[in-house]
Amino acid sequence: MKKIVGIIAALALATAVFADAPVSNITDFTFSGSASLEYIVNLDGANGEGEVTTGMKNGGSANFKLKFITGGTKESTGDGLWGEIQIKTTDSETTGAGPISINGATVEKAVIHFIDDDFFLDMNIKEPGLSLGGGDILTATKSAGAFPGASVTVTGKQGFTLNFGLKDVVEFGLQFADNGQKIAKEKKFGFVFDATLKAVDGLGLNAAAGYGTEKNKFVASVKADYKLALGDMYIKPAVGFALDEADAKNLSAGLLFGWGGDGIEAKFASFSNSVTNVPDKCADGVSVYATVPLTSSPAIGFLFSAFDSKFLGDFGLKVGAQLAVANLSNFGKGSDAFDAAFAFSKAFGDWNFDANAGIKFIIEGSKFGALYGCGVSNSAIIDNTKLYLKYAGEHGADVGGKNLKGTITLGCEISI
């Protein structure tokens, strides 16, 4: 009863405080559960001692989740000379197992608009980051791919960012900060100035420079990428440079020949002990990527990668591969490795078949690992019940995983 009263009070408070921004919503809830019975054949033994074990296993879970506030934002509006502020809160929900709580709000934007025409001028009065460069370089597999970055050090920084330029043509930004309330001899300052060209579709071009009196160091960056459409395909070259406060000069470059989506959750299987095969966040295409520290003896990192879920997608297949090298001048040493993986999932009538496989080859010492699995399931024979048979095994001790003959599981799961 106390929880019901608490929820009603929370809803009333949400409506009173947030008005038409976040809204109360008690219809968005989850109430589900499942129970399973499995017969398991562990070819490696329960503790890996090698003697086969067999037996049954019961399982079950129930879930209750009630969302009583749907998160949202609220912001001011204006014209001419005006102040923009945006506040945000996230969903508030409960599982019924603890006290009711409402998530707090954050300030997402705080900007004074001086001029808001084709030429614009505004001031962001939130604390500046004093960072420059950085950001993603798109690659086929997400083992690498970033523009180098730098930042200006001002301990306890407080300040603003001034933005101005011509809309859809060019934008300039000036971040300026001091170290807060200090006596004159303890004052420190820092700034970052950057320019971004926006006039060319598909082109990203940014240059920035900064300086801080705390470290008395100059920093700079420049980065560019361009997406050129080729019918249903595209190429996207990218290059970036940064000079940081340690006087390190770093160059990164990449080239992707793409033919589909990006940010794809491949969900390839991994080895035991969290040893990754081809990682998630893939893009349909083939890419090369390199990082080059500009020193007399640079350790040049290199990644070649490929992924496809588009051309093979109609067959239920996703395929990925990559060669990752930590230092080209010392090729084949350390963690340098070739990885490949595929995942298959397709329904044939009421039956769904799944399979996966992956390999890892560590060049130094010619260490090889492989993993493999398959399964079949049917959810139409018995209402509300999935019947399944699956197997998973691994030969991965040489690459940091385990050598496992595998596990065979025959099971049924009732769910609602």
Side-chain angles (χ1 to χ4, degrees):
M1 183 64 183
K2 288 183 178 179
K3 283 190 176 180
I4 294 175
V5 172
I7 292 174
I8 294 172
L11 295 176
L13 178 61
T15 303
V17 174
F18 295 117
D20 59 353
V23 296
S24 60
N25 182 357
I26 60 173
T27 61
D28 187 3
F29 68 92
T30 300
F31 186 42
S32 61
S34 65
S36 64
L37 172 64
E38 297 179 333
Y39 180 76
I40 299 172
V41 180
N42 191 333
L43 302 177
D44 302 283
N47 298 312
E49 71 277 4
E51 187 173 352
V52 176
T53 61
T54 62
M56 290 186 287
K57 180 182 178 181
N58 298 100
S61 65
N63 303 299
F64 168 74
K65 183 183 289 185
L66 173 66
K67 182 191 296 182
F68 55 89
I69 292 178
T70 299
T73 61
K74 186 175 183 178
E75 59 188 39
S76 60
T77 59
D79 192 18
L81 180 63
W82 66 287
E84 176 186 10
I85 186 168
Q86 182 187 86
I87 57 174
K88 177 181 179 181
T89 188
T90 55
D91 295 346
S92 294
E93 55 191 26
T94 179
T95 60
I100 303 298
S101 62
I102 299 176
N103 292 333
T106 57
V107 176
E108 298 296 304
K109 284 184 180 181
V111 178
I112 299 174
H113 295 265
F114 297 101
I115 304 173
D116 205 11
D117 294 320
D118 289 338
F119 174 80
F120 67 92
L121 172 64
D122 63 56
M123 178 187 289
N124 182 344
I125 63 171
K126 291 190 66 179
E127 175 192 311
L130 295 183
S131 59
L132 58 161
D136 290 337
I137 292 178
L138 193 60
T139 55
T141 63
K142 199 57 183 173
S143 285
F147 293 106
S151 61
V152 173
T153 300
V154 176
T155 302
K157 62 182 181 292
Q158 304 289 301
F160 63 88
T161 301
L162 194 66
N163 298 295
F164 60 96
L166 293 173
K167 290 182 179 178
D168 302 323
V169 178
V170 64
E171 180 176 327
F172 301 96
L174 174 63
Q175 303 176 55
F176 184 78
D178 68 9
N179 58 343
Q181 293 291 306
K182 302 289 183 182
I183 60 176
K185 66 180 180 179
E186 295 178 352
K187 290 298 296 180
K188 303 296 181 183
F189 301 91
F191 78 89
V192 171
F193 180 78
D194 75 282
T196 302
L197 180 65
K198 295 188 172 183
V200 181
D201 289 341
L203 174 67
L205 178 59
N206 174 270
Y211 182 81
T213 60
E214 183 168 331
K215 299 289 186 180
N216 288 319
K217 290 291 186 178
F218 173 79
V219 298
S221 72
V222 61
K223 60 180 182 178
D225 60 14
Y226 183 64
K227 186 174 183 179
L228 175 63
L230 302 172
D232 293 334
M233 302 180 180
Y234 65 93
I235 57 172
K236 190 169 186 178
V239 62
F241 165 83
L243 167 68
D244 64 23
E245 288 184 333
D247 294 326
K249 305 177 185 70
N250 293 290
L251 179 71
S252 294
L255 176 65
L256 172 69
F257 174 62
W259 52 71
D262 57 64
I264 298 169
E265 297 281 354
K267 296 184 179 178
F268 293 125
S270 295
F271 289 89
S272 300
N273 301 327
S274 301
V275 176
T276 303
N277 193 21
V278 178
D280 269 343
K281 301 297 183 184
C282 296
D284 289 313
V286 178
S287 67
V288 291
Y289 169 78
T291 58
V292 185
L294 300 180
T295 64
S296 57
S297 300
I300 301 174
F302 176 79
L303 175 73
F304 170 80
S305 55
F307 174 80
D308 180 68
S309 65
K310 182 179 179 181
F311 294 131
L312 299 175
D314 291 340
F315 303 99
L317 278 170
K318 290 180 288 188
V319 179
Q322 63 178 33
L323 173 64
V325 179
N327 184 356
L328 280 176
S329 62
N330 200 24
F331 179 77
K333 303 296 182 181
S335 61
D336 293 355
F338 173 78
D339 296 277
F342 90 88
F344 170 79
S345 181
K346 194 170 181 65
F348 297 89
D350 295 329
W351 295 90
N352 195 82
F353 293 85
D354 298 277
N356 70 84
I359 63 170
K360 177 180 284 289
F361 179 71
I362 298 177
I363 299 171
E364 185 174 24
S366 299
K367 298 175 183 178
F368 178 80
L371 53 82
Y372 31 83
C374 60
V376 60
S377 63
N378 188 303
S379 299
I381 296 175
I382 304 174
D383 286 350
N384 307 320
T385 304
K386 180 172 76 172
L387 307 176
Y388 55 91
L389 174 66
K390 58 184 180 180
Y391 166 77
E394 177 181 335
H395 180 81
D398 287 347
V399 297
K402 297 179 180 180
N403 288 339
L404 300 172
K405 297 175 184 176
T407 302
I408 302 170
T409 304
L410 174 65
C412 62
E413 180 182 68
I414 307 170
S415 61
I416 187 172

